[in-house]
């Protein structure tokens, strides 16, 4: 197996650059300067620029040695999935602002014994999502690592000039706003469990859940709909619904009451792991759905627009005037908030998905 | 000592964000949205945008345990230096394009036992250079690492709209162009040697050289001068003069003849380590000077402009029509090119600075 140590930094770059050609927003002019120089460059018409960066560390955010579902025969699949996911979590941040993806820069720290074919598969996974999302990968940096792979991606997106006031911000929630979430919840946590415990559910269910964990879909169309419908407060659900609701509340200076019976459990999760579906929906991370808040009339408009775009969404509660107080209540109003939830990157690993 | 594991991801972010306030281009309006949301955002007038990313890995690109020079008493100095350098290597890429810095995003992967005060010092180091360079740090991402710290920075810069054709590119060298470099060479390699071999030179020399290694100065003013003077081909010297000349030649489809007697050796290095000064000037990396090529008349104009700005520059040879052939010649024209030079990130560590 040829490794990145064998072909060297520049041999590797020569193989990766062709994999990026062609990925870019539909109809957009080519960049002035793509990979290969000190920096990438493009002509930018006046716009509001939106930028975000996210980093995945081996052993913390991903595990290339996880068994795949039986249908995934290819040994390069983990790398391809990883490329997809690394870009997806970044595009999710743009979705959560209501921005259109423009371009991305990729920074890889790789152990020298990494197979070249693995890195090529990683880039194919990124490129396939980039192409679908209209995001151009303009370049990056590839360096050695000693112990663990680290993948950092920075994405830049846009909203039209003068529309900076319409960005979906965490700090725009107000007491009385309705709170809602797109899609279903708990799928990613269930998918990780299925990967770690093969045979714990039917193979169809395991495959579908694993796919949701490995290839999350950034909710770009949902973000677009929300911004155009006049919603001003949103974020993506990456650390877990309750943990992320707490962040939205902290930024907005409000509280939230979330109704457990309204949480959009994934029907596949409910069928496969009935006793854990609620826990994963409330506390599991990495679903990359959008959590948003708006006054009732805006919420109604937003839900119409989302429905027209084929994006499911569910009202799960409302914002309150009790700053910092986030509670999950059951059907009769009892507080059933779990003692801890969410993901702290510096916490010692403790069975969190 | 309080560690990042103690205060947690969000406690850490709360401490770091205030350290970034105020760093931004002089007179520029504040960003629409700084750290704290899913992404940062700013109103961008029409421009050519230039973006680059660079990653530093502990144990490969930096070593926090290196002894300092005796004058550097503070135990946080290594962190502060590291913050400076991580941003400097990125700004150097913007300098090498002739672009003005606009903003930066910072991605940190840190071991949980990292002292909080160290990370704060890292941010102070970054902020002090950002402030000087007119670069605003808009946000980033902070995650855990298991074995080694990784610091990734993405910078975005601008040149005025319509001036994309004036960017300093590696592939614009032509046979017959004169080749030149700013500043002096070999300083950073000598500085690393001095840090690794305390007592090998006078303490004044060691301190000065170490400082150049730890706090390189991105040549932003030089890049500005070159672009305005009509130079179109440049890159920064990060991997070593000959290795980087070879890259410029490969991109431009030319060769180069570099005259050893013309290399601008650092006088401090020549005095402290006379027998290694030439080797370090030709092959040592991380000087972050600009290497540039232009026809004689443009070169003359560029040198005038650089001199007016107080930036030293030296002609070191010329480009030839022998693609890929880079040779170092001595005073009588003999080829004295060393067998290998330059830095491959996947090569096994082998005493390279």
């Amino acid at each position: 197996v040829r490794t990145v140590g064998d072909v060297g930094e520049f041999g590797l770059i020569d193989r990766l650059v062709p994999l990026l050609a062609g990925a870019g927003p539909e109809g957009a002019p080519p960049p002035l300067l793509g990979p290969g120089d000190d920096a990438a460059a493009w002509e930018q018409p006046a716009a509001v620029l939106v930028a975000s960066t996210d980093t995945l560390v081996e052993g913390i955010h991903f595990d290339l040695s996880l068994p795949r579902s039986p249908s995934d025969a290819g040994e390069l699949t983990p790398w391809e999935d990883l490329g997809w996911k690394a870009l997806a979590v970044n595009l999710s941040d743009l979705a959560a602002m209501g921005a259109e993806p423009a371009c991305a820069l990729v920074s890889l720290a790789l152990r020298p014994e990494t197979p070249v074919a693995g890195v090529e598969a990683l880039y194919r996974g990124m490129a396939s999502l980039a192409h679908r999302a209209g995001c151009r990968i303009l370049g990056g940096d590839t360096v050695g690592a000693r112990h663990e792979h680290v993948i950092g991606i920075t994405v830049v997106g846009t909203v039209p000039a003068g529309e900076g006031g319409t960005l979906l911000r965490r700090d725009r929630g107000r007491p009385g706003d309705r709170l809602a979430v797109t899609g279903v919840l708990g799928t990613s946590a269930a998918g990780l469990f299925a990967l770690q415990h093969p045979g714990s559910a039917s193979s169809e269910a395991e495959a579908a859940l694993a796919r949701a964990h490995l290839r999350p879909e950034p909710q770009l169309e949902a973000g677009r709909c929300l911004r155009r419908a006049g919603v001003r407060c949103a974020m993506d659900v990456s650390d877990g619904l309750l943990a992320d609701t707490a962040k939205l509340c902290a930024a907005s200076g409000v509280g939230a009451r979330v109704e457990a019976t309204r949480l959009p459990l994934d029907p596949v999760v409910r069928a496969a792991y009935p006793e854990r579906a609620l826990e994963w929906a409330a506390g599991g991370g990495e679903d990359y759905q959008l959590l948003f808040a708006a006054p009732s009339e805006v919420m109604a408009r937003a839900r119409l627009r989302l429905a027209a775009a084929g994006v499911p969404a569910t009202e799960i509660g409302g914002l309150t005037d009790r700053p910092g107080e986030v509670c999950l209540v059951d059907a009769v109003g009892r507080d059933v908030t779990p003692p801890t939830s969410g993901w702290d990157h510096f916490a010692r690993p403790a069975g969190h998905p």
Side-chain angles (χ1 to χ4, degrees), chain A residues 18 25 63 71 90 93 96 105 107 117 124 133 142 147 152 162 164 235 245 248 253 262 287 298:
Chain A
D63 180 352
S71 57
N90 278 278
D93 285 324
L105 292 155
S107 163
R124 277 200 307 277
T142 308
H147 295 106
M235 67 181 292
T245 300
L248 185 150
R262 288 175 173 263
D287 283 319
V298 177

Side-chain angles (χ1 to χ4, degrees), chain A residues 42-47 49:
Chain A
W42 69 100
E43 193 78 50
Q44 177 64 58
L49 289 195

Side-chain angles (χ1 to χ4, degrees), chain A residues 196-241:
Chain A
Q196 290 170 332
H197 301 85
S200 60
S202 74
S203 61
E204 295 76 21
E206 284 186 2
L209 297 172
R211 186 171 173 86
H213 176 73
L214 297 168
R215 298 218 169 198
E217 292 280 349
Q219 297 297 311
L220 291 160
E221 182 58 24
R224 232 168 254 142
C225 289
L226 293 178
R227 196 172 69 81
R228 288 182 189 150
V231 173
R232 295 294 168 258
C233 180
M235 67 181 292
D236 67 338
V237 180
S238 56
D239 294 344
L241 177 75

Side-chain angles (χ1 to χ4, degrees), chain A residues 36-333:
Chain A
D37 215 298
D38 295 290
W42 69 100
E43 193 78 50
Q44 177 64 58
V48 173
L49 289 195
V50 179
S52 182
T53 189
D54 260 305
T55 300
L56 304 185
V57 178
E58 185 181 18
I60 293 183
H61 303 92
F62 63 91
D63 180 352
L64 288 165
S65 68
L66 268 187
R68 302 283 115 176
S69 65
S71 57
D72 281 334
E75 63 181 287
L76 295 175
T77 310
W79 285 100
E80 214 170 309
D81 288 341
L82 178 57
W84 174 290
K85 187 161 181 172
L87 183 59
V89 304
N90 278 278
L91 292 177
S92 179
D93 285 324
L94 294 184
M97 304 300 291
E100 296 298 326
C103 64
L105 292 155
V106 179
S107 163
L108 300 177
L110 300 170
R111 297 193 305 263
E113 69 272 21
T114 307
V116 171
V119 191
E120 290 172 337
L122 179 94
Y123 262 68
R124 277 200 307 277
M126 271 192 295
S128 64
L129 176 58
H131 194 77
R132 268 184 37 178
C135 178
R136 187 173 264 128
I137 300 173
L138 280 185
D141 186 33
T142 308
V143 301
R146 289 188 308 169
H147 295 106
E148 55 216 5
H149 300 305
V150 180
I151 303 176
I153 299 188
T154 301
V155 287
V156 179
T158 61
V159 302
E163 297 188 17
T166 67
L167 289 171
L168 305 175
R169 299 170 57 146
R170 300 183 178 194
D171 60 359
R172 288 292 188 264
R174 296 293 170 259
D177 279 357
R178 300 300 300 156
L179 186 66
V181 68
T182 60
V184 293
L185 295 172
T187 323
S188 180
L192 179 60
F193 184 87
L195 284 165
Q196 290 170 332
H197 301 85
S200 60
S202 74
S203 61
E204 295 76 21
E206 284 186 2
L209 297 172
R211 186 171 173 86
H213 176 73
L214 297 168
R215 298 218 169 198
E217 292 280 349
Q219 297 297 311
L220 291 160
E221 182 58 24
R224 232 168 254 142
C225 289
L226 293 178
R227 196 172 69 81
R228 288 182 189 150
V231 173
R232 295 294 168 258
C233 180
M235 67 181 292
D236 67 338
V237 180
S238 56
D239 294 344
L241 177 75
L242 291 181
D244 288 324
T245 300
K247 280 177 229 168
L248 185 150
C249 287
S252 295
V254 300
R257 184 181 160 95
V258 176
E259 299 174 46
T261 53
R262 288 175 173 263
L263 291 187
L265 308 193
D266 183 330
V268 181
V269 180
R270 200 156 41 179
Y273 305 106
E275 72 296 344
R276 302 199 64 180
L278 177 63
E279 169 200 341
W280 283 334
E286 302 203 299
D287 283 319
Y288 299 106
Q289 297 295 337
L290 298 187
L291 174 69
F292 56 103
S296 305
E297 65 280 16
V298 177
M299 185 59 82
R301 211 155 60 219
R303 295 190 58 186
L304 279 176
R305 212 182 249 265
L306 288 169
V311 179
T314 311
E315 282 190 34
I316 58 171
L319 301 185
T320 69
D321 58 3
R322 305 166 78 106
E325 213 180 285
V326 174
C327 59
L328 183 69
V329 296
D330 70 7
V332 296

